[in-house]
Amino acid sequence: MQPAPAPAPDADTQRASARVQLPEVEVDLPVIVGTEDEHAVDISRFRDKTGYVTLDPGFGNTAACKSAITYIDGEQGILRYRGYPIEELAETSTFVEVALLLIFGELPTKERLERFRGMLTDEQLLHEGMRYHFEGFPSHGHPMAMLSAMINACGCYHPELLSSEMDDERLLRATATVMSKVCTIAAFSYKMTKGQRMEYPDPSLSYCRNFLHMMFSKPHRRYDPPLQVVRALTKFLILHADHEQNCSTSTVRMVGSSGANVFASVASGVCALWGPLHGGANMAVIEMLQEIQAGGDDPKTVVAKVKDKKFRLMGFGHRVYKNFDPRSKILEKTCTELFDVLGVSDPLLDTARELASIALTDDYFLERKLYPNVDFYSGIILRALGIPLNMFTVMFSIGRVPGWIAHWYELYGDPDRRICRPRQIYTGAGKREYVPMDARRC
Ligand code: CMC
């Protein structure tokens, strides 16, 4: 099967034009309509026609590309990967299947899935040289810093994958390489901080089981998690696998637009994800809940501080979702199911629910359409799986890798592709005359 072609500028998608009136000029611009009837004014020739650029800080009103990968309807709380509802994929698929769906456009056949699993196995081990890189990191170093550095370093060991010229076979190999290596790198960095010996990957295990094995098996005791633990991890990864043009994916596309290779582009995604407003929120939520638990402010006081703008409620709010985040609903349910099966509880879940119920009935949150997002409950699941707090965003990264690769590849095949190079409105000093050093006064 060939890789899914990037969406061509389809005549059907351009259905009308919009008239824009400026002080000196009036211009007709094409209107582009997406599959689900989303409308956009195509401003790519706006400056040529009018001399104006558009200004949109944070790109809240700008579609940076056409994409056929993921659809979100933020008003209705809908998320689909390649047309498939997230609820169905999370319930029934494996993460590897979803990865292939996102990147290649179709659910894999049994044979293709088996072949890809073989490739994942081939790529599990790190080159011995990479082990020495790990030795250079301080044991208290943040695993996100290690992850981005090591993914980029993979490029040194895979010169055959440095070109962005991809056919089906090379893309499959590149995907297997990045997906396998991120797991091994993540587990390696964890073992290093624990001062424990690295557990070699086990080719007989599924992707998620193998990751848990590398994380938690010890030479004298093999970790063999119950099915529900593996299923919870699988759901977590599927729910994080793609989310259209979010900050890290836009970063990957931005870097990839220069022709940068898949390792460099994915490593840049890891860096963008690290921030607390993006993937780093999953850590920040747990820190916030722990502080409440430890006798800091109670949930009501926290909400009052948020309304006074002294604090941001982590794991709440979203640029696109203005009703609910479907991922958050699935994860909350997964918390309950997992705790039932494991016969455990976590006081942080009670605190999270209390905080959510206060916020969800408060006018401040209702007016601003702020709801729990994917990060609100995900950390509680990760805690139950035994993942340490400083690795939460690494887990998000492992989940997001297929989405990053899918967008990197889609961009590469897009006939509309140009290097990403936004304009700016300069607000600095006007032209000044250079003052030589001796003539400068304080
Ligand atoms: N707590 C309190 N107020 C908030 C929050 C929040 N979490 N999020 C937004 N607001 C308020 C904000 O103060 C502003 O109010 P006002 O209109 O009075 O000035 C209004 O809502 C709009 O906020 P914004 O900052 O313009 O919204 P944005 O679309 O630029 O930001 C966000 C989206 C996700 C960065 C933001 O909601 C946020 O900081 N949330 C907390 C961090 C977080 O959970 N991030 C994970 C996002 S989901 C996973 C991912 O994609 O990474």
Side-chain angles (χ1 to χ4, degrees):
M1 191 181 71
Q2 288 303 306
D10 179 349
D12 280 341
T13 60
Q14 188 182 315
R15 290 196 202 142
S17 69
R19 178 151 300 177
V20 179
Q21 199 170 355
L22 299 164
E24 314 84 10
V25 64
E26 200 173 89
V27 64
D28 285 323
L29 296 168
V31 169
I32 306 294
V33 184
T35 315
E36 299 289 340
D37 214 31
E38 326 87 287
H39 286 55
V41 177
D42 179 348
I43 55 156
S44 51
R45 306 246 74 86
F46 191 60
R47 187 169 173 277
D48 291 349
K49 290 183 175 180
T50 66
Y52 283 69
V53 295
T54 55
L55 177 64
D56 183 19
F59 308 121
N61 202 52
T62 296
C65 60
K66 294 179 206 160
S67 177
I69 301 170
T70 287
Y71 172 68
I72 300 176
D73 180 336
E75 313 301 326
Q76 306 290 328
I78 292 172
L79 169 61
R80 294 185 206 130
Y81 295 162
R82 299 281 187 184
Y84 295 98
I86 191 66
E87 293 79 4
E88 283 175 38
L89 292 172
E91 206 48 56
T92 49
S93 292
T94 65
F95 177 57
V96 172
E97 250 186 309
V98 167
L100 293 178
L101 170 69
L102 284 168
I103 297 165
F104 294 91
E106 296 296 339
L107 286 165
T109 59
K110 209 170 166 195
E111 295 70 35
R112 186 166 166 88
L113 189 61
E114 277 316 304
R115 207 158 73 77
F116 183 66
R117 280 194 205 286
M119 288 185 176
L120 282 171
T121 301
D122 293 347
E123 299 299 339
Q124 278 170 349
L125 289 174
L126 298 181
H127 189 284
E128 275 299 298
M130 286 188 73
R131 295 181 52 144
Y132 299 112
H133 295 302
F134 270 105
E135 285 171 16
F137 292 123
S139 59
H140 58 271
H142 199 290
M144 282 297 275
M146 294 186 205
L147 185 65
S148 59
M150 295 303 269
I151 292 173
N152 209 3
C154 279
C156 304
Y157 300 95
H158 292 277
E160 77 286 1
L161 297 175
L162 287 186
S163 156
S164 40
E165 296 290 323
M166 290 278 162
D167 56 16
D168 185 62
E169 193 62 19
R170 279 162 65 86
L171 184 60
L172 213 52
R173 178 63 63 182
T175 302
T177 304
V178 183
M179 280 183 69
S180 256
K181 301 291 187 226
V182 289
C183 275
T184 313
I185 292 167
F188 208 121
S189 65
Y190 171 67
K191 288 290 191 188
M192 199 185 82
T193 55
K194 297 287 282 182
Q196 290 174 8
R197 202 195 75 178
M198 173 65 193
E199 284 300 319
Y200 278 100
D202 180 342
S204 71
L205 299 177
S206 70
Y207 187 84
C208 289
R209 260 186 200 281
N210 185 47
F211 175 69
L212 291 168
H213 154 70
M214 287 192 287
M215 285 287 289
F216 300 123
S217 285
K218 294 191 178 138
H220 59 286
R221 200 186 61 227
R222 195 179 165 86
Y223 179 60
D224 189 14
L227 182 64
Q228 290 81 357
V229 164
V230 180
R231 201 55 226 160
L233 175 61
T234 303
K235 265 189 201 174
F236 171 92
L237 295 177
I238 290 174
L239 293 172
H240 286 78
D242 191 43
H243 214 232
E244 47 119 305
Q245 310 308 319
N246 56 83
C247 175
S248 57
T249 302
S250 302
T251 303
V252 168
R253 290 185 86 116
M254 168 77 85
V255 172
S257 78
S258 73
N261 66 73
V262 68
F263 301 107
S265 303
V266 169
S268 74
V270 174
C271 295
L273 190 75
W274 193 355
L277 296 187
H278 192 9
N282 61 9
M283 264 181 86
V285 169
I286 296 297
E287 284 163 348
M288 175 182 79
L289 297 174
Q290 281 173 334
E291 217 173 293
I292 296 172
Q293 277 283 311
D297 293 329
D298 60 41
K300 277 197 181 121
T301 316
V302 169
V303 169
K305 278 191 177 171
V306 169
K307 289 160 67 176
D308 280 350
K309 306 272 187 204
K310 291 189 179 133
F311 185 67
R312 213 155 242 246
L313 194 55
M314 299 315 285
F316 253 71
H318 200 274
R319 174 64 62 78
V320 182
Y321 292 119
K322 298 298 168 196
N323 184 332
F324 67 93
D325 180 339
R327 303 168 301 172
S328 170
K329 284 202 167 182
I330 299 171
L331 287 173
E332 189 192 1
K333 195 165 153 252
T334 308
C335 284
T336 315
E337 290 164 359
L338 185 63
F339 288 179
D340 283 353
V341 165
L342 297 181
V344 297
S345 63
D346 186 341
L348 293 193
L349 180 58
D350 303 329
T351 308
R353 285 190 171 135
E354 192 186 343
L355 201 54
S357 74
I358 298 170
L360 290 171
T361 49
D362 190 291
D363 283 347
Y364 176 95
F365 291 86
L366 293 172
E367 279 160 19
R368 289 166 183 76
K369 301 186 175 173
L370 301 172
Y371 298 91
N373 60 46
V374 70
D375 294 315
F376 197 65
Y377 294 107
S378 65
I380 294 171
I381 294 178
L382 294 178
R383 268 162 66 90
L385 300 183
I387 307 288
L389 186 60
N390 70 351
M391 282 198 62
F392 282 14
T393 316
V394 168
M395 299 303 295
F396 193 148
S397 307
I398 295 174
R400 189 52 58 88
V401 159
W404 288 332
I405 297 176
H407 284 271
W408 175 83
Y409 178 66
E410 183 178 69
L411 174 76
Y412 151 77
D414 187 344
D416 286 346
R417 172 181 144 200
R418 298 175 80 195
I419 188 165
C420 291
R421 204 299 184 192
R423 299 259 172 184
Q424 65 163 18
I425 302 297
Y426 175 68
T427 58
K431 188 176 178 212
R432 296 198 279 181
E433 209 161 293
Y434 180 75
V435 182
M437 181 70 82
D438 292 348
R440 281 179 223 160
R441 299 220 177 85
C442 311

